[in-house]
Amino acid sequence: MNRKRKLSIALLIVTVALSLLYWCHQRIEHFADKPLNIEQETLFKLPAGTGRVGLEELLVRDKLIYSGRWFPWLLRLEPELAGFKAGTYRFTPGMTVRQMLKLLASGKEAQLSARFIEGSRLRDWLQQLQEAKYVKQTLTGKSEAELVLALGLPEGSSLEGRFYPDTYLYTAGTSDLALLKRAHARMDKILQEVWLARDVSQPYKTPEQLLIMASIVEKETGVAEERTKVASVFINRLRLGMRLQTDPTVIYGMGESYTGNISRKDLDTATPYNTYVISGLPPTPIAMPGRASLEAAANPAKTDYLYFVADGNGGHTFTTNLTSHNQAVRTYRQVQKEKNEK
């Protein structure tokens, strides 16, 4: 074979090799730019110690990619994508394989959220945490006394009302105890701020008493502009030595026996929380109050109101004497009757 023929064959081989290399590169690029096979946000857990082969198997198993044929070649071509970190990540529709690998390499885990609403109780929080899929469960089956110790609080501490209702962000694997500690520290901070800014003429001896009042206000109204007036009613009653006579405290004292209605017998049955029977504030908060209720309890409106009743339209009618209150009750019942007849 002459030299010219050998050169031609060599050039042909090089051309074929370059063409194949180009084709492979194009296939790899196409694979890298292909969107993941998802139509909605998806949480993906990458276990610790997972290598390249393991990740490929997980992606194929979960049908996030159809085939892993080009996966190892992409990691060789772009080695910076191979430094993925263990964790739980949020994949979004339209995210490409390359974007997914960049996310795994960044270590930016999915931010999950737990929302605890104002007026909820400790038992509600514990149930919500127990049902949270990505929260590490460490408190299941623990009594309140055991929970107090787990939180590092003095023995005998009451936990009701001591956690601030809000939305808390966390990453998968965060423990239920860690979330409660954050909410407890937040309530301590906000309660202290509100206590220092309170109207010092109010009849509170401790921040705990203010917290108890705020929890009652929280349960009595969801109307923002009414909170300070509701607080004023209870403050005025305290100052006159009148019982608070607030239904939410009765309900709290009934515990699991409450089924949605309060009877006359319930109002007359003594419990530590039945403010139709006891004088003054109940022994602990009855719910988790938000900041608005805390501030209303700390700085109530200056009124002569001693009574309030629902007006049938989402708010309340406030009155200064029993005669006017009874009339407001009759009006409320009439409104309810008319609504039921429609």
Side-chain angles (χ1 to χ4, degrees):
M1 186 181 296
N2 60 38
R3 184 177 180 182
K4 185 175 182 179
R5 184 172 176 78
K6 289 181 179 179
L7 183 59
S8 296
I9 293 174
L11 287 173
L12 178 61
I13 292 174
V14 169
T15 300
V16 171
L18 289 174
S19 296
L20 182 60
L21 185 61
Y22 176 77
W23 181 82
C24 288
H25 186 271
Q26 289 297 102
R27 292 294 88 198
I28 294 170
E29 283 295 316
H30 177 73
F31 172 76
D33 292 334
K34 190 175 181 61
L36 298 177
N37 183 36
I38 56 175
E39 295 181 354
Q40 59 187 12
E41 286 192 352
T42 300
L43 290 179
F44 175 78
K45 182 177 181 179
L46 182 63
T50 304
R52 300 183 182 190
V53 175
L55 175 57
E56 177 187 338
E57 291 175 348
L58 288 174
L59 294 172
V60 174
R61 182 202 68 185
D62 294 347
K63 296 182 171 59
L64 295 169
I65 59 175
Y66 290 109
S67 170
R69 176 183 179 185
W70 298 107
F71 189 77
W73 295 99
L74 173 59
L75 296 183
R76 288 189 180 94
L77 187 65
E78 302 181 36
E80 68 276 10
L81 298 178
F84 32 82
K85 301 175 179 64
T88 299
Y89 297 87
R90 191 184 307 276
F91 295 164
T92 55
M95 176 180 282
T96 66
V97 173
R98 179 182 281 110
Q99 290 171 334
M100 176 267 293
L101 288 171
K102 285 183 177 179
L103 176 62
L104 298 184
S106 75
K108 294 179 180 178
E109 293 190 65
Q111 288 290 304
L112 308 170
S113 64
R115 181 173 181 265
F116 302 108
I117 62 173
E118 295 87 346
S120 54
R121 299 183 186 179
L122 176 62
R123 68 183 187 188
D124 303 321
W125 286 44
L126 294 177
Q127 181 67 29
Q128 189 174 338
L129 287 171
Q130 190 171 354
E131 294 172 356
K133 184 177 179 181
Y134 293 95
V135 170
K136 180 181 179 182
Q137 304 297 325
T138 65
L139 302 175
T140 304
K142 287 189 181 296
S143 66
E144 184 169 343
E146 291 172 320
L147 182 53
V148 166
L149 294 178
L151 287 164
L153 302 176
E155 186 176 353
S157 297
S158 169
L159 297 181
E160 195 68 86
R162 299 297 316 193
F163 303 94
Y164 189 73
D166 202 351
T167 298
Y168 292 89
L169 299 179
Y170 65 96
T171 55
T174 299
S175 72
D176 44 12
L177 180 60
L179 285 169
L180 286 181
K181 282 184 175 180
R182 285 170 58 191
H184 186 271
R186 185 102 184 275
M187 178 60 89
D188 271 355
K189 179 177 181 295
I190 291 175
L191 178 59
Q192 185 62 22
E193 291 173 359
V194 173
W195 175 255
L196 292 176
R198 77 190 186 283
D199 176 353
V200 295
S201 70
Q202 303 308 314
Y204 305 124
K205 295 180 180 179
T206 65
E208 177 71 14
Q209 291 182 339
L210 189 154
L211 182 62
I212 294 170
M213 179 63 80
S215 73
I216 295 173
V217 173
E218 189 69 67
K219 296 299 289 184
E220 280 287 8
T221 183
V223 181
E225 57 270 21
E226 285 190 350
R227 289 192 177 99
T228 57
K229 289 194 287 186
V230 169
S232 77
V233 169
F234 294 129
I235 290 296
N236 290 340
R237 282 176 165 255
L238 285 176
R239 284 180 168 145
L240 292 173
M242 296 175 64
R243 288 175 177 166
L244 299 186
Q245 296 185 321
T246 168
D247 290 356
T249 62
V250 178
I251 293 170
Y252 189 85
M254 291 172 66
E256 297 297 330
S257 67
Y258 176 68
T259 58
N261 295 300
I262 303 177
S263 66
R264 170 50 60 180
K265 180 182 177 182
D266 295 325
L267 297 180
D268 293 338
T269 300
T271 74
Y273 291 88
N274 186 347
T275 53
Y276 284 82
V277 175
I278 67 169
S279 298
L281 293 165
T284 73
I286 60 171
M288 312 294 182
R291 183 159 196 147
S293 292
L294 287 165
E295 291 178 343
N299 295 281
K302 306 294 185 183
T303 77
D304 295 323
Y305 295 139
L306 293 174
Y307 304 89
F308 65 93
V309 66
D311 60 13
N313 296 305
H316 293 84
T317 299
F318 295 82
T319 51
T320 60
N321 58 78
L322 187 57
T323 300
S324 298
H325 174 65
N326 289 336
Q327 178 57 51
V329 171
R330 288 192 291 270
T331 300
Y332 166 71
R333 289 174 177 167
Q334 182 61 35
V335 170
Q336 291 299 101
K337 180 181 178 182
E338 293 173 356
K339 285 184 177 181
N340 292 334
E341 291 174 350
K342 289 182 179 179

